Amino acid sequence: MKIKTLNIFAIALFALIMIGCGGPVKLYNVENKIIEGANKEVLKRAIFDAGYSLGWNMREENSNTIIGILVRKKFSATANPQFTGYYDAKISITYNENSYSIKLLEANNLDYNPTEETIRSGYNGWILNLENQIDGIATPLMMTESLKKKEQEAQADKKNSSTTDNGLRKIYDVINAPIAQGHSIEEIEKAIFISGKQNNWLMKKQKEGFILAKKVIRKHTMIVRISYDQEHYSITYISSENLKYQGYYIHRNYNVWIQQLEQGINFNLE
């Protein structure tokens, strides 16, 4: 019972942090955010995928507008938190060939003041998460010079890495995982792309034997190299954001996501 109470209290505390206890703040809108290299169809897909991944209900209003609704539970700020209702927000996301905007339409239990344009800080957190997710999904996947440099730096870190006691985990790379005989290159690529889709990775083939893959979860982003031939495949780290990367050590969730991708590829190659 004590553990259950602590868990409920932790959930309530998290909810309070997300909504914000310090009073209203200036409403955050996204105004004409430009995504270089994107197009209208890419932006549309990115908005829907980002919204769904963060718990938003999304529907297409017209050819340039998507409506999103997010509902979150509300708990009392007491030693024994009780469910007291819901917070919810309704937004409009307009988009064109290479930019998008996010605007609040309605809000309940978020202290929204349309005259002052203020709202509880948790709402702004929701929008920042959505914005980061859209940007991560919509940005074209290319092995740029910047990514090449980050990959080289990461490999240097790997050679020089030592043990750490800061709660991070050594990065899990998949190195030369065997592929059963009889698969064509096309079948191997298909297995990789299917696993990517099943595990919410964005993937793009850069050249024969090299797929660049990116996963975005809230504010967390990771990019990996998937190398393959007809006998083996590998998944190796390139870069990340907001995953506490330090000298080839990283937040433990990164390794979980890589293992899920690996298991999916293996399953699709059976």
Side-chain angles (χ1 to χ4, degrees):
M1 182 62 71
K2 184 180 290 184
I3 293 174
K4 184 176 180 181
T5 301
L6 287 172
N7 286 339
I8 294 173
F9 181 73
I11 293 170
L13 181 60
F14 177 76
L16 287 170
I17 291 170
M18 289 299 292
I19 295 302
C21 306
V25 297
K26 187 69 175 178
L27 177 70
Y28 179 71
N29 288 316
V30 178
E31 301 285 355
N32 296 317
K33 182 72 174 285
I34 295 175
I35 304 295
E36 297 291 345
N39 58 51
K40 192 172 182 180
E41 191 58 35
V42 167
L43 275 176
K44 177 181 176 180
R45 179 197 163 197
I47 292 166
F48 272 107
D49 288 352
Y52 290 148
S53 72
L54 293 171
W56 289 82
N57 292 308
M58 314 287 276
R59 65 175 171 82
E60 188 171 11
E61 183 78 356
N62 55 51
S63 61
N64 295 297
T65 306
I66 294 169
I67 301 298
I69 297 176
L70 184 66
V71 180
R72 288 287 183 263
K73 289 183 177 181
K74 180 181 178 183
F75 293 89
S76 61
T78 60
N80 186 22
Q82 301 294 318
F83 170 70
T84 59
Y86 294 94
Y87 302 100
D88 63 81
K90 182 178 181 181
I91 60 173
S92 169
I93 308 175
T94 55
Y95 62 99
N96 53 34
E97 287 299 323
N98 67 346
S99 68
Y100 71 94
S101 300
I102 303 176
K103 181 180 179 181
L104 177 65
L105 297 178
E106 301 173 13
N108 291 306
N109 295 320
L110 286 168
D111 297 337
Y112 174 47
N113 185 325
T115 303
E116 299 291 333
E117 291 192 336
T118 57
I119 198 166
R120 287 201 177 198
S121 60
Y123 169 81
N124 286 352
W126 296 345
I127 299 305
L128 283 166
N129 282 342
L130 181 59
E131 178 185 12
N132 289 333
Q133 192 84 338
I134 292 171
D135 293 354
I137 294 172
T139 303
L141 264 179
M142 295 180 62
M143 191 61 177
T144 61
E145 290 301 318
S146 175
L147 280 182
K148 290 178 183 177
K149 183 178 179 181
K150 289 180 180 179
E151 184 177 38
Q152 291 169 355
E153 291 171 349
Q155 289 305 306
D157 287 343
K158 184 177 182 179
K159 291 179 181 178
N160 300 319
S161 65
S162 57
T163 57
T164 179
D165 59 358
N166 57 7
L168 303 178
R169 299 289 186 271
K170 188 165 186 179
I171 285 179
Y172 176 72
D173 285 328
V174 179
I175 303 296
N176 292 328
I179 297 174
Q181 292 183 351
H183 292 291
S184 67
I185 284 292
E186 290 75 17
E187 290 172 335
I188 294 167
E189 288 176 353
K190 183 178 179 181
I192 293 169
F193 278 109
I194 289 174
S195 179
K197 185 175 182 180
Q198 291 169 336
N199 290 285
N200 297 314
W201 286 81
L202 302 167
M203 294 185 171
K204 186 172 182 180
K205 181 178 176 180
Q206 305 296 299
K207 63 180 182 179
E208 191 72 29
F210 172 28
I211 291 172
L212 189 63
K214 177 170 73 172
K215 188 179 182 75
V216 180
I217 300 180
R218 297 178 295 279
K219 292 185 177 182
H220 313 298
T221 302
M222 63 222 75
I223 299 177
V224 300
R225 171 190 289 270
I226 304 177
S227 306
Y228 57 95
D229 54 28
Q230 286 186 270
E231 297 180 350
H232 305 91
Y233 76 90
S234 299
I235 305 173
T236 53
Y237 175 90
I238 293 179
S239 71
S240 63
E241 294 179 15
N242 298 315
L243 281 168
K244 301 181 179 179
Y245 175 81
Q246 182 180 328
Y248 226 68
Y249 283 78
I250 202 164
H251 191 286
R252 60 187 177 186
N253 283 352
Y254 171 87
N255 287 347
V256 173
W257 293 322
I258 295 300
Q259 288 164 352
Q260 289 172 342
L261 178 61
E262 175 190 18
Q263 291 166 5
I265 293 172
N266 292 341
F267 176 78
N268 287 300
L269 284 172
E270 288 181 355

